Amino acid sequence: MATTTPLSAAGGRMSRRYGAGHRWVVLSVGVGAQASFAAMFAGIPVTGIAMRAGYHLSIGDLGLALACLGLGAAVSDIVWGLLTDRYGDRRVLLIGLTSTGALLALMAAAVTPGDGAGVAALAACLLAAGALGGSVNGASGRAIMTWFADGERGLAMSIRQTAIPAGGALGVAVLPWLAHSYGFRAVYVFPAALCLLAAAATWRWLPISDAPAAGREVATARKESVPARAVTRSPLLRWDVWRVALASALLTVPQFAVLSFTAIFLHDAKGQGVALASVTILIAQIGGGAARIWTGRRTDRRGNRRTYLRGIGVLTGIAMAAAAVLTQAPTPVTVAALALGGLLANSWHGIAYTEIAAMAGPDRAGTALGLEGTTVFGAAFLTPLLIPVVLAAASWEAVWALVAAAALLAIPLAPRPLAVTMR
């Protein structure tokens, strides 16, 4: 990749001015960072059967431990976003990825069933893992929003967001097998290695000069303009920004219900093993990733991401309502409904993250993405806690019906569509 004369950077360090084509390298770094976190975040819950047996957990304890992953990301994402806007993408990614990898390595050494770890130690470590790993959400997204012009951001952010189901699919495929074959030391070592590899890639290929000004230089070199209107009001004080974030939280409920409890549902209600659950979630993850890229590219060309966000809410609600109705149907039929609902619930992230960052403007994108992450991971925290309560009081039909209702409630909450602009 061609570079030009080095430029002086803060603190006397030197950084290079990269050509416009380096934006694709930045996107690759963001994808790697997001995928490494997703492999842990999605893969660990699918070890739920082995975790429940190995750590001697009740289903309530299991829900609490898994919920702590989402809680950690939720309570830290706005902080990470503010730090990213202040100190830059590279610093935040390096700190977050390295510390997450180190924590997972510590868990492999001292927080396994063989070490006598209980629910308190497990939940505390998963809380910390979510808090540290959540740094990748705002930092990698802001880097992409900085380096890409508006006509490409939907595609670029959707590719970045596709790293979540892709990395999640890797975690879903590998971590349950590791848990069964080698135990939880291997379960924690695998995502630790991924996080440290992503940190190394960030160190090597993400430029030091990663402030918004660097993105404007790239945009100028490509003879394209960044959005002319600088947004000075904090995204945290804007109701339209909050509406996107809250609608995203509601759409997260079916995503994490399918991710966290498909294995338990199929085991307890259908007498199936972990293999069928892994296949169901892989379909949802991989199909959702493909749908993210399609919607990102289409909204770049046709505009109006808000219309697509509402449409996904409709389709997800219908699919999860079908899962509720078909709970007692033959297993292949029920699995098909869950896989479709999970696929749709995995398909909206690219357009929502792009929309909220674009609304905030490049100088405030980290904060807006931090808010988005807070609401999304807040829902990821609450969902595993709520489902055991509903299940104890009612049934699996009620669980999937509640999930469907959450998706449908996102439709009126999302901001009203803008006039469509053809690209």
Side-chain angles (χ1 to χ4, degrees), residues 235 238-251 306 309-310 352 355-356 359 371-372 375 409-417:
R238 293 174 52 188
W239 174 235
D240 58 340
V241 173
W242 273 94
R243 288 181 66 178
V244 175
L246 293 172
S248 299
L250 288 169
L251 290 173
R306 300 177 185 186
L309 192 61
R310 289 181 170 219
E355 179 68 13
I356 202 168
M359 291 167 70
L371 173 62
E372 176 81 356
T375 59
L409 285 173
I411 302 165
L413 186 57
R416 299 181 68 86

Side-chain angles (χ1 to χ4, degrees), residues 40-49 51 57 59-72 119 122-123 126-127 256 259-261 264 380-381 384-385:
M40 172 193 72
F41 197 86
I44 287 178
V46 186
T47 68
I49 295 173
M51 184 176 286
L57 306 177
I59 192 168
D61 289 339
L62 177 65
L64 173 63
L66 297 181
C68 283
L69 270 174
L71 177 62
V119 64
L122 177 63
L126 292 179
L127 177 71
F256 276 86
L259 175 67
S260 298
F261 283 92
I264 300 296
F381 163 67
L385 293 180

Side-chain angles (χ1 to χ4, degrees), residues 72-89 91-97 99-100 128-140 142 365-371 374:
V75 299
S76 67
D77 252 29
I78 287 181
V79 176
W80 285 120
L82 291 167
L83 291 173
T84 298
D85 284 340
R86 182 174 179 85
Y87 296 109
D89 324 305
R91 291 182 182 91
V92 169
L93 280 174
L94 285 173
I95 292 169
L97 289 167
S99 57
T100 304
L132 296 172
S135 59
V136 307
N137 299 310
S140 62
R142 179 181 173 277
T367 302
L369 291 168
L371 173 62
T374 294

Side-chain angles (χ1 to χ4, degrees), residues 163-374:
I164 297 176
L170 177 63
V172 167
V174 173
L175 296 193
W177 170 72
L178 288 176
H180 177 74
S181 302
Y182 300 101
F184 276 87
R185 294 196 198 282
V187 166
Y188 301 138
V189 165
F190 182 77
L194 293 180
C195 288
L196 294 175
L197 285 173
T202 300
W203 177 266
R204 174 64 181 84
W205 286 298
L206 189 63
I208 294 174
S209 55
D210 56 359
R216 286 192 283 272
E217 289 176 6
V218 173
T220 300
R222 295 170 60 208
K223 298 182 180 180
E224 296 181 4
S225 61
V226 297
R229 183 171 66 89
V231 179
T232 58
R233 191 181 181 196
S234 171
L236 302 179
L237 301 177
R238 293 174 52 188
W239 174 235
D240 58 340
V241 173
W242 273 94
R243 288 181 66 178
V244 175
L246 293 172
S248 299
L250 288 169
L251 290 173
T252 300
V253 174
Q255 178 191 2
F256 276 86
V258 172
L259 175 67
S260 298
F261 283 92
T262 293
I264 300 296
F265 164 70
L266 291 177
H267 179 271
D268 292 357
K270 297 290 187 179
Q272 300 293 321
V274 71
L276 182 59
S278 296
V279 169
T280 305
I281 296 171
L282 282 172
I283 292 170
Q285 297 279 70
I286 295 171
R292 290 183 195 196
I293 294 177
W294 182 84
T295 55
R297 186 59 174 163
R298 188 170 180 83
T299 53
D300 276 344
R301 292 178 173 178
R302 302 185 66 86
N304 216 342
R305 301 179 188 104
R306 300 177 185 186
T307 298
Y308 281 81
L309 192 61
R310 289 181 170 219
I312 289 169
V314 172
L315 295 175
T316 303
I318 292 172
M320 295 311 301
V325 172
L326 298 171
T327 297
Q328 301 301 327
T331 298
V333 177
T334 310
V335 165
L338 287 173
L340 178 59
L343 185 156
L344 291 165
N346 272 287
S347 67
W348 55 269
H349 299 71
I351 54 176
Y353 276 74
T354 305
E355 179 68 13
I356 202 168
M359 291 167 70
D363 292 344
R364 301 284 192 134
T367 302
L369 291 168
L371 173 62
E372 176 81 356
T374 294

Side-chain angles (χ1 to χ4, degrees), residues 376-387:
V376 164
F377 287 106
F381 163 67
L382 292 173
T383 299
L385 293 180
L386 180 60
I387 285 178

